[in-house]
Amino acid sequence: MKNKKASPVFTFTAFVKIIRPGNLLMVAFAQLMTAFFLVGTSRSGIPVLQDYHLYLMIISTVILTASGYMINDYYDVKIDYVNRPKTVVIGKGMKRRMVMILHTTMNMAGILIGILVHPRIGAITFVAAFLLWLYSNSLKRLPFIGNLTVASLTGLAIWIVGIYYQKSELLILTYAIFAFFINLIREILKDIEDRNGDRKHGCRTLPIVLGFRKTKNIIFLIAVLFVAAILFVTFKINEPLLFLYFGGLSIFFFIFMFKIYKADRKSHFTELSTFSKILMLTGIMSMGFL
């Protein structure tokens, strides 16, 4: 009888896969664009791209985000074997204890780097790290609360730039709101996509508690709130180019919502998750027009 091959403690390929480098690049790009186009100059008056605090803040955010992905996969390994068995890393390319060691080490590094930027940023990174752990541990299994937590942290990744530099607060808030709502919708779409595995393991996400159709109605309500919030803030800013860009973007957003209305298969919701990332990237790119 052949011995079963033991899973490796750690492989670099598994590490890269579990931290979602594409998503990390999106986060870093969003913060860099926010600083360059919406802030311009640092607290000391030099161009913001010459301020090392910006890069420390980006590194801190990226490390904590990567750590959040790791702990999420740690707690979701059984669910992922049902929903997406081919993408599971833990137990195949990385041992569970190694995931916890890396998660703890990366959290400490991310928080310490945040403190180096400013004690206030350090406090925010500590809260963010705790919420990412709490989300993975329990909040994501509750209806809507987990979705709201992740969406808030996504918006915070942009808003933290405004918190530190204390410039263009309202304009940065507009993009933080944009990121919040797009990711809130995306998180709910992922819950619809993953409802089979979630139901099997006792999760109480919106699609499981309310059902498929009612969850879609919640998404449409969020979309209305999203449009209202963006319109309110852009009217207060009164920037013509922002109106023009968000007006053009609204066409893609309505296509996005129509696709949600028509979607009824797992593959449809996987495509919609990708579409939401494109919407996010398009929104970030609009900063260059202001």
Side-chain angles (χ1 to χ4, degrees), residues 234-254:
T234 48
F235 269 112
K236 285 188 70 70
I237 294 170
N238 195 26
E239 172 57 59
L241 282 175
L242 196 61
F243 276 113
L244 185 63
Y245 200 91
F246 277 127
L249 191 62
S250 66
I251 297 171
F252 293 99
F253 183 71
F254 284 121

Side-chain angles (χ1 to χ4, degrees), residues 19 61 68 86 94 100 144 150 179 206 266 279:
I19 63 171
T61 304
K86 293 181 180 179
M94 194 180 296
M100 286 303 296
F144 196 64
V150 171
L206 282 177
K266 183 181 173 69
L279 271 175

Side-chain angles (χ1 to χ4, degrees), residues 32 80-81 134 274:
L32 196 63
D80 288 341
Y81 267 112
L134 189 63
T274 302

Side-chain angles (χ1 to χ4, degrees), residues 153-227:
L153 290 172
T154 304
L156 180 63
I158 292 176
W159 181 232
I160 197 172
V161 178
I163 292 173
Y164 177 68
Y165 288 107
Q166 297 180 339
K167 293 181 180 180
S168 304
E169 288 95 339
L170 193 56
L171 196 54
I172 293 173
L173 178 61
T174 304
Y175 283 95
I177 290 171
F178 178 85
F180 168 79
F181 277 107
I182 292 295
N183 275 273
L184 182 58
I185 292 172
R186 180 171 178 263
E187 287 298 316
I188 297 174
L189 289 172
K190 284 167 61 181
D191 282 348
I192 296 175
E193 181 186 356
D194 294 343
R195 62 190 184 277
N196 291 334
D198 290 345
R199 183 182 290 111
K200 184 176 180 180
H201 290 279
C203 298
R204 291 181 55 78
T205 57
L206 282 177
I208 294 170
V209 173
L210 297 180
F212 178 68
R213 297 298 173 188
K214 288 184 179 179
T215 300
K216 275 192 174 186
N217 291 336
I218 294 291
I219 292 175
F220 297 141
L221 177 60
I222 292 169
V224 171
L225 293 173
F226 165 59
V227 172

